[in-house]
Amino acid sequence: MMDLGDNLMFSTDYPHWSYDSPTYAINRFPADQRERIMRGNATALYGLPPTVPALPGERPGAATAQG
């Protein structure tokens, strides 16, 4: 069977309100495929670094409010 975890990437239709929750959608996949679908495949495809430094004044790992 094909490993879909290597062929899918998460996308969003933000800001539209009619959507499935990302949490609901990703939990339908096996745990070993979730990280690849949500982050790993896009990182590999676009050659992105695995992490990026925080911006000045930003706490690493903290969610920021957009207003």
Side-chain angles (χ1 to χ4, degrees), residues 13-36:
D13 195 20
Y14 179 83
H16 298 105
W17 295 100
S18 59
Y19 66 92
D20 288 334
S21 165
T23 304
Y24 169 77
I26 195 63
N27 285 334
R28 298 178 64 99
F29 290 92
D32 64 323
Q33 295 179 359
R34 293 179 194 155
E35 188 280 333
R36 289 184 286 160

Side-chain angles (χ1 to χ4, degrees), residues 2-66:
M2 184 187 313
D3 184 4
L4 293 178
D6 286 334
N7 296 302
L8 297 175
M9 288 189 285
F10 174 76
S11 69
T12 181
D13 195 20
Y14 179 83
H16 298 105
W17 295 100
S18 59
Y19 66 92
D20 288 334
S21 165
T23 304
Y24 169 77
I26 195 63
N27 285 334
R28 298 178 64 99
F29 290 92
D32 64 323
Q33 295 179 359
R34 293 179 194 155
E35 188 280 333
R36 289 184 286 160
I37 293 169
M38 295 300 287
R39 183 187 67 85
N41 292 338
T43 300
L45 178 66
Y46 296 114
L48 301 172
T51 61
V52 295
L55 295 172
E58 185 177 59
R59 292 181 303 157
T64 58
Q66 300 290 323

